[in-house]
Amino acid sequence: MAADFREILFETPEPHIAKVTLNRPAQMNAYSTLLCEELVRALDIYLRDDDLRCLILTGAGRGFCAGGDISGADAEHEALMKSQLSHAREMRDGMHRVILALSRLDKPTIAMVNGPAVAGGLTLALACDMRIAADTAKLGDTSGRFGLLPDEGGAWLFPRFMGLDLALKMTMLAEVYSADEAEYLGLVTEVVPASELEPRVMELARGLAARAPLAVRLAKSMMMRGQTLSLEQSLGDAALSVMIANPSADVREGVKAFFDKREPRFKGK
């Protein structure tokens, strides 16, 4: 499935669970043109495979993602940067596609933040449904240190998670926070000791994978759409969604398992 990936790893460590690892540890997993292309492909594989019910996104080595690669190691990127218009096209074809692909997924995603997640790396983590961070991780927006912008989606995501004033403070002052500070600010879902990070994320992934896939996907879709709907519109959306979920075989299995005093075996039907 993933033998032709060069800058990410795509694995299925357990049934129903996919794991994508950014694999540029020498660059702290800073994203490149190729890495973005491969991430979009990996997310499409996850979306299309109904047997995969949860995706874990993490980074190889000491970091989660350091944002865009400014080291010069991405030769393809350097070749593209011939004009100011090229910069906008590179963003549209690169990390913008990744963030949009993540935001459109109706299946669960967990960012396993094993190290620094800064600038575009923070945006990448925020585009996931949950962010479980090691207590040694650092999160923030370093783009301003280089005169750069929160252009990967941060200008939209940062204020929604931490409020406009704190987002402006973080970006304009190029602040980076400890995992505990990031949790307090709303950027992290949960902080665990570094030694417990992967076990905790796998525990959550197993829990999500064990739930009824149809209900999980519909619930996520309802909540995502609800961000831009009125209460009345959201309730109308819910009424339509239950017409799909309630008659499903999974609901019948869930009720039967309850009375049989056993764990349900959901099949997504």
Side-chain angles (χ1 to χ4, degrees):
M1 177 188 293
D4 58 342
F5 287 134
R6 290 164 45 197
E7 295 196 342
I8 68 170
L9 303 175
F10 190 109
E11 307 166 275
T12 52
E14 294 186 11
H16 308 308
I17 298 173
K19 181 181 179 184
V20 173
T21 305
L22 311 185
N23 194 30
R24 303 184 77 223
Q27 291 81 31
M28 295 293 284
N29 302 312
Y31 66 83
S32 66
T33 302
L34 177 60
L35 184 142
C36 290
E37 292 173 357
E38 293 188 341
L39 263 180
V40 170
R41 286 171 50 206
L43 293 173
D44 189 61
I45 291 171
Y46 172 57
L47 174 64
R48 293 176 183 276
D49 188 343
D50 287 339
D51 193 52
L52 296 176
R53 302 180 182 179
C54 182
L55 174 74
I56 298 167
L57 180 62
T58 192
R62 297 182 297 110
F64 177 77
C65 177
D69 189 353
I70 61 170
S71 70
D74 184 6
E76 187 174 351
H77 173 270
E78 296 301 314
L80 282 172
M81 298 299 101
K82 296 177 181 177
S83 71
Q84 285 177 287
L85 289 176
S86 298
H87 290 261
R89 183 178 57 128
E90 184 265 347
M91 291 305 304
R92 287 195 304 270
D93 294 343
M95 186 54 84
H96 287 186
R97 288 180 64 209
V98 174
I99 299 302
L100 285 172
L102 271 170
S103 71
R104 291 168 179 159
L105 283 174
D106 62 350
K107 300 166 73 172
T109 56
I110 304 173
M112 185 166 75
V113 185
N114 55 308
V118 296
L122 176 57
T123 302
L124 186 63
L126 291 177
C128 295
D129 299 325
M130 304 174 199
R131 287 149 301 286
I132 312 302
D135 57 0
T136 52
K138 302 287 185 181
L139 301 95
D141 185 14
T142 56
S143 58
R145 294 181 186 176
F146 309 97
L148 297 170
L149 301 172
D151 49 12
E152 298 95 341
W156 192 89
L157 285 163
F158 297 162
R160 281 166 170 79
F161 280 87
M162 59 195 308
L164 179 59
D165 57 341
L166 293 174
L168 286 169
K169 178 173 176 283
M170 176 180 71
T171 291
M172 292 193 294
L173 294 176
E175 293 183 337
V176 175
Y177 311 112
S178 69
D180 287 335
E181 289 173 315
E183 183 181 27
Y184 175 78
L185 292 169
L187 298 173
V188 168
T189 310
E190 186 177 326
V191 177
V192 298
S195 61
E196 299 174 18
L197 178 62
E198 188 159 6
R200 174 56 177 154
V201 170
M202 288 301 299
E203 178 185 20
L204 287 170
R206 290 186 199 107
L208 290 166
R211 296 301 95 204
L214 185 60
V216 168
R217 295 176 77 159
L218 284 169
K220 176 174 176 177
S221 296
M222 288 167 59
M223 290 190 187
M224 296 299 290
R225 288 193 298 267
Q227 301 300 302
T228 58
L229 298 177
S230 68
L231 173 59
E232 186 172 359
Q233 290 170 325
S234 182
L235 291 173
D237 185 39
L240 292 173
S241 296
V242 299
M243 293 172 68
I244 300 171
N246 286 13
S248 69
D250 277 352
V251 169
R252 294 193 296 274
E253 164 63 11
V255 173
K256 188 175 187 303
F258 175 79
F259 286 108
D260 290 347
K261 296 181 171 54
R262 60 173 174 82
E263 289 298 315
R265 294 181 290 273
F266 295 120
K267 297 181 179 179
K269 299 179 180 179

